[in-house]
Amino acid sequence: PGDCRAEHILRRTADLRDGARRRALAAVLPHLVRRADAVRRELRVRGIDRVVTGSHAAAADLLSRFGDPAPHVVRDAVAAPRGLDRARLRVRVGAAPSERLLAWRGLPGHGGGLDAAVRALRILGPGHRLVLVGWSRPREEAERVATAEGVADRLAFVAPAPQGEVVELLSGADLALLTGEPVDGAARLVTPAALFECLAAGVPIVASDLP
């Protein structure tokens, strides 16, 4: 739903430092809201035969707000690459064979759950390393949190990569952490693509209890 996406972009914009990227996102937001409203008006005039969404939570929300027809739920899927190299992640971050790797696939900024993942690393103690897979923000943001918890030396970063490569990297983790928080409509209702990447990788998942 467009209003959930607008709320999500508004939150992401607030997380950014003042600069060109923040100004660009702030400029896009009103257009996105107007576009979503226009699409809804047009659909009401034309009539809706089918509604398809990606989660039961989103389907229930759409039905309660807009009425019939009841949405059909079609899950996303990520294909598992053949012949996964499960050692790739360990080699990439230079981890010892005895270390347990926790892969984090959250979104940077407020609501991504990075604080919770770092606190988990502190609670688990030495011998565990937290790998931020697909991290695209300045490292200082994550390192500041890890330093406050005393675990900065057990934090590793993997830059964004094509989805097939991400799945292969995730397959080398001992555990995947999906620690998102219900800070907006998109976070509450939409199943994150990272969940399906972890399923394709065949890695155990610890996830937030969201709808």
Side-chain angles (χ1 to χ4, degrees):
D3 49 357
C4 286
R5 183 57 57 191
E7 186 183 1
H8 178 70
I9 291 180
L10 181 62
R11 175 173 63 82
R12 295 296 302 277
T13 302
D15 289 336
L16 295 174
R17 296 176 181 174
D18 189 25
R21 189 177 181 192
R22 180 171 182 170
R23 291 192 295 272
L25 283 173
V28 165
L29 186 62
H31 171 75
L32 179 63
V33 172
R34 289 194 299 271
R35 178 64 178 161
D37 289 341
V39 169
R40 276 198 289 267
R41 288 194 298 270
E42 183 178 350
L43 288 174
R44 287 186 186 127
V45 171
R46 290 186 179 187
I48 301 173
D49 294 318
R50 296 287 186 273
V51 177
V52 178
T53 188
S55 75
H56 291 288
D61 176 73
L62 289 170
L63 185 61
S64 67
R65 290 195 290 145
F66 302 113
D68 290 331
H72 296 274
V73 176
V74 178
R75 295 289 191 186
D76 290 331
V78 173
R82 294 184 178 180
L84 290 172
D85 180 4
R86 297 187 181 274
R88 189 170 182 176
L89 180 65
R90 196 168 290 276
V91 171
R92 174 75 67 89
V93 301
S98 60
E99 280 187 287
R100 291 187 175 180
L101 300 183
L102 313 178
W104 184 80
R105 277 290 286 155
L107 292 172
H110 175 64
L114 176 61
D115 291 16
V118 172
R119 285 196 301 273
L121 184 63
R122 175 177 57 80
I123 292 168
L124 288 168
H128 297 82
R129 187 183 296 203
L130 182 63
V131 184
L132 310 187
V133 179
W135 184 261
S136 59
R137 299 279 282 273
R139 291 190 178 191
E140 290 80 4
E141 179 180 338
E143 289 172 340
R144 187 164 49 249
V145 178
T147 299
E149 296 291 338
V151 295
D153 61 330
R154 290 190 274 131
L155 198 63
F157 300 85
V158 173
Q163 190 173 66
E165 184 177 341
V166 167
V167 170
E168 185 165 58
L169 289 166
L170 288 172
S171 74
D174 294 286
L175 188 74
L177 295 176
L178 303 179
T179 51
E181 300 167 359
V183 294
D184 58 30
R188 289 191 301 272
L189 302 174
V190 179
T191 307
L195 173 65
F196 300 101
E197 292 172 346
C198 294
L199 291 171
V203 61
I205 301 167
V206 173
S208 301
D209 186 11
L210 297 175

